[in-house]
Amino acid sequence: YYKFPGFLSPSLGVKFSDVPNGLAAFSKVPALGWVQIIFFAGIVEGSFGFNDYKSGTPGEYGWKVLTSSDPAEKTKKLKAELANGRLAMMAIIGMFFQDGLTGSAWGDWTLYTASPLRFFGGGSSSYKSFDPATELGVQEPIGFW
């Protein structure tokens, strides 16, 4: 990943290179830095497009690239957008969870050997070796039933 050169906070001596990726970055960025980020986001949100919510349909800009003039097609596209948004929210929450457990949002599960989800393999005697014939619900040709 690219990191900006120089200091994130010159007064505290925090460089951009000192800030790790993932959730660990929350503890490295100074509190006033977070205040600045939230303040800037609030200015951007409050300055642009705010009247659209009062006078019209949000997101309706008069051109039909992602929407449609046909009401049925527009409803279909809006439902697909909503479903994809929900999927993206579940994915980012999963990445937060994985980053909290392994220290990496992309998750190298081989580093997290204390996982209660780890059951097979691992090379340790505490793990049971995988034998599909002993699993519940296994059917022919394995021969469980």
Side-chain angles (χ1 to χ4, degrees):
Y1 299 104
Y2 177 79
K3 295 193 179 191
F4 290 108
F7 285 90
L8 173 67
S9 175
S11 62
L12 296 176
V14 179
K15 294 182 179 181
F16 284 105
S17 60
D18 296 336
V19 180
N21 294 327
L23 295 176
F26 284 114
S27 65
K28 300 294 182 190
V29 176
L32 285 178
W34 289 114
V35 170
Q36 288 175 345
I37 292 169
I38 292 169
F39 182 71
F40 177 73
I43 288 174
V44 170
E45 286 288 324
S47 298
F48 304 105
F50 192 69
N51 289 332
D52 291 342
Y53 291 100
K54 295 178 184 175
S55 62
T57 305
E60 189 66 53
Y61 300 111
W63 46 281
K64 306 288 183 203
V65 173
L66 299 176
T67 62
S68 175
S69 299
D70 179 26
E73 183 69 20
K74 183 176 180 179
T75 301
K76 177 183 172 188
K77 289 182 176 185
L78 289 174
K79 286 183 179 180
E81 182 181 358
L82 184 63
N84 288 334
R86 289 176 177 162
L87 178 63
M89 286 186 278
M90 292 301 295
I92 194 68
I93 294 298
M95 289 178 73
F96 288 156
F97 180 77
Q98 192 164 351
D99 185 49
L101 287 176
T102 66
S104 172
W106 305 111
D108 185 0
W109 286 101
T110 59
L111 300 176
Y112 186 57
T113 57
S115 172
L117 303 174
R118 183 184 296 264
F119 189 63
F120 300 114
S124 172
S125 61
S126 64
Y127 297 114
K128 114 180 187 183
S129 61
F130 180 69
D131 181 12
T134 63
E135 297 302 308
L136 183 64
V138 173
Q139 298 186 13
E140 293 293 341
I142 303 235
F144 185 75
W145 293 108

